[in-house]
Amino acid sequence: MVDQNALKAIIEQVLTEMNIGNTAAAASPSAAEAVKAGETPAAPAAEGVVKVDDGFIPDVSEIDIRKQYLVENPVNGEAYYDLKQYAPARLGIGKAGARYKTLPVLEFRAAHSAAQDAVFSQMDLEFVEKLDLFVVRTMCTSKDEYLTRPDLGRKLNPEGVAMIKEKCKKNPTVQIFVSDGLSSAAVVANIPDLLPALMQGLQSYGIDVGTPFFVEYGRVGVEDEITELTGATVTCDLVGERPGLITAESMSAYITYKGTVGMPEARRTVISNIHKDGTPPVEAGAHIAEVIKIMLEKKASGTDLKL
């Protein structure tokens, strides 16, 4: 039987040879100096040589790809690294012959898995209830039906209609609700900070706010029916967006002024990329409140609204 320490040493050696974590050209503050000197920059600690602890290797999904520069012997690595800081895109990931290196492939697969999990995972309704939001549902009865029948996600079921009529404030200036959309992970990651920031921002402007709630299996279009049910002047849907390979936790706010069922999509105002590496949720909440204030002043939304 192989000794435990010997086994760890073998795994470390194999992973290092596969170039996992040993990103010789990754940039860091000291990397710029190395590039100037014509040397290969040393990898920062987060992307350093793999160390196996208790049978685990580092989580590749935790690597900040803006700080990851894997091109060997770059011509102008310092300038390219500086450009990478402006967008979390997979740039400068290097190659092994005609193929990608192992580490970027693993990162890509991890991001793809996170995106799939965000889409297919059910929303934790206990989490929602802890936020003091009551739950209604669209005509969809399952996640599969939600994904294959977008039309059903735009209409509330009869129980949901009745609950909104019973529990929501009538004719508020602003009606806010949260929906899982295509990423339950986005709701969990952002709503605990986003919703209070938005509510506080509206209250600071002296704007009347209705009773917030949660819509399960909700599409953006369901806000039009909700507008008609509540009589709200402005309706704001905080919804989990379709995840990509940069983040699975992005939310958007879709806002309408006097929305109606069947109205054109051009009447919606959208604030997107709400997540920790985009517009942080607290900042987004304050910004959405400001946009709603302008909507009420100009009595318009979507392409009719000139900010």
Side-chain angles (χ1 to χ4, degrees):
M1 180 177 292
V2 180
D3 176 80
Q4 187 72 18
N5 292 330
L7 181 60
K8 286 185 179 181
I10 292 171
I11 295 173
E12 289 176 5
Q13 180 181 352
V14 170
L15 293 176
T16 300
E17 291 174 356
M18 291 172 65
N19 200 31
I20 302 177
N22 188 13
T23 57
S28 63
S30 61
E33 300 175 3
V35 170
K36 286 181 180 178
E39 302 172 9
T40 301
E47 287 85 30
V49 176
V50 169
K51 293 183 179 179
V52 181
D53 296 319
D54 298 325
F56 293 93
I57 62 173
D59 185 350
V60 295
S61 66
E62 296 298 320
I63 297 174
D64 184 350
I65 60 178
R66 285 176 296 189
K67 298 179 180 179
Q68 184 183 61
Y69 187 44
L70 305 180
V71 176
E72 298 176 11
N73 304 315
V75 174
N76 198 348
E78 181 182 0
Y80 197 95
Y81 175 77
D82 288 341
L83 289 173
K84 275 175 60 70
Q85 307 314 301
Y86 291 96
R90 286 179 168 78
L91 303 172
I93 59 176
K95 60 182 181 179
R99 295 180 173 85
Y100 293 120
K101 292 185 175 182
T102 303
L103 180 56
V105 170
L106 293 178
E107 291 173 309
F108 183 90
R109 292 181 66 177
H112 186 247
S113 296
Q116 288 183 310
D117 286 346
V119 170
F120 289 105
S121 294
Q122 295 284 346
M123 189 65 222
D124 182 357
L125 297 184
E126 289 186 5
F127 170 85
V128 173
E129 290 169 0
K130 289 178 181 178
L131 298 174
D132 293 327
L133 302 175
F134 68 88
V135 179
V136 299
R137 182 182 281 184
T138 63
M139 295 295 291
C140 299
T141 58
S142 68
K143 178 67 75 168
D144 286 344
E145 189 171 46
Y146 169 77
L147 295 172
T148 56
R149 290 289 306 273
D151 57 313
L152 297 181
R154 301 188 187 105
K155 184 173 177 58
L156 296 167
N157 65 18
E159 293 81 5
V161 171
M163 193 175 295
I164 288 174
K165 288 181 177 180
E166 175 189 348
K167 295 190 174 185
C168 283
K169 182 177 182 178
K170 302 298 186 294
N171 303 312
T173 303
V174 178
Q175 177 63 58
I176 299 169
F177 69 96
V178 181
S179 53
D180 45 7
L182 287 167
S183 177
S184 56
V187 176
V188 174
N190 297 292
I191 285 300
D193 292 325
L194 175 59
L195 183 58
L198 173 54
M199 297 288 285
Q200 182 178 352
L202 293 172
Q203 289 166 6
S204 70
Y205 290 129
I207 297 174
D208 173 49
V209 183
T211 311
F213 56 91
F214 180 82
V215 178
E216 187 178 19
Y217 303 143
R219 296 276 179 176
V220 172
V222 75
E223 76 174 336
D224 302 335
E225 183 181 11
I226 289 170
T227 299
E228 294 188 356
L229 284 171
T230 60
T233 304
V234 171
T235 307
C236 177
D237 178 11
L238 303 174
V239 59
E241 283 285 19
R242 178 184 293 105
L245 296 176
I246 296 300
T247 179
E249 298 180 349
S250 182
M251 292 201 79
S252 287
Y254 287 81
I255 318 167
T256 60
Y257 178 83
K258 292 188 175 180
T260 56
V261 174
M263 73 175 199
E265 293 299 308
R267 286 181 56 191
R268 301 190 205 281
T269 293
V270 184
I271 297 171
S272 59
N273 277 318
I274 302 171
H275 57 92
K276 62 182 177 62
D277 294 320
T279 302
V282 172
E283 181 182 331
H287 179 55
I288 295 167
E290 183 181 12
V291 170
I292 290 175
K293 175 176 176 288
I294 296 172
M295 279 186 182
L296 291 168
E297 292 170 350
K298 297 192 174 183
K299 297 180 171 55
S301 60
T303 55
D304 295 328
L305 179 66
K306 310 300 180 185
L307 294 175

